């Protein structure tokens, strides 16, 4: 047990999928895992462990934003020895070629700041995905016929943004989408020698103003879970 995860050692698998929303963790575990067992409910941040095609998998909510994700990822890595951590979440599209419902595989995650910012000081550390996971996820997404983009994303600290100039620079520099967690996940994975990837569905679009209706979010979310599981055990 840790401060934020009530599971016993051994109840968390080496492979962890991390949706931001704890209810999504429950839905994914009940939909895709065999014999899902609730292993965490501290602060309602649900975590489940079960098996997928015989492989043990934990699906643990991360909460929204890098400070929250950082707590769960640190404890999963340092106390439960998680080896592969895959964020499955939503993002806002930032390029015309990126459509609602498309999947983005985040090769890199630019950021103003993460909870790790303090240790880098003047250095602009470049958080990046694990290449093996990225390549496997790309293959799995293509096989499903999912429209997929691979490239840089922006991990913001704010959903209600007051820096339109910064978004403009991100768009100008080819950033595919904006979310709020991946940069810290990638930084922690780099620090501790773990594999990490963020698989994101475009749920809204900063340029076109479109947004995915809530009843359609579930299906897109299911595609991401399948891509994540196939990539983790490729
Ligand atoms: N901004 C930040 N995070 C997000 C967004 C967004 O527009 N959409 C989904 N996650």
């Amino acid at each position: 047990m840790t401060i934020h995860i009530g599971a016993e050692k051994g109840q968390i698998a080496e492979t962890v999928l991390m949706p931001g929303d704890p209810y999504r963790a429950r839905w994914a575990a009940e939909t895709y895992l065999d014999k899902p067992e609730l292993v965490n409910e501290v602060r309602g941040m649900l975590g489940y462990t079960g098996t997928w095609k015989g492989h043990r998998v934990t699906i643990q909510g991360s909460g929204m934003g890098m400070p929250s994700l950082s707590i769960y990822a640190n404890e999963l890595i340092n106390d439960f020895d998680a080896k592969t951590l895959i964020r499955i979440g939503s993002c806002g599209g930032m390029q015309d070629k990126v459509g609602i419902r498309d999947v983005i595989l985040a090769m890199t995650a630019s950021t103003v700041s993460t909870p790790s910012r303090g240790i880098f000081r003047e250095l602009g550390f470049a958080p990046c995905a694990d290449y093996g996971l990225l390549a496997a996820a790309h293959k799995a997404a293509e096989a499903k016929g999912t429209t997929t983009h691979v490239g840089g994303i922006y991990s913001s600290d704010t959903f209600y943004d007051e820096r339109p100039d910064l978004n403009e620079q991100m768009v100008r520099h080819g950033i595919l989408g904006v979310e709020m967690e991946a940069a810290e996940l990638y930084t922690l994975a780099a620090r501790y020698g773990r594999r990490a990837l963020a698989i994101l569905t475009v749920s809204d679009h900063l340029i076109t103003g479109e947004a995915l209706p809530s009843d359609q979010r579930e299906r897109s979310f299911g595609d991401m879970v399948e891509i994540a599981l196939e990539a983790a055990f490729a």
Side-chain angles (χ1 to χ4, degrees), residues 87 90-92 156 158-159 178-180 203-204 206:
R87 161 161 161 69
S90 60
C91 72
S156 173
T158 52
F159 189 89
V178 54
E179 52 84 81
M180 299 180 65
S203 62
D204 54 271
L206 273 68

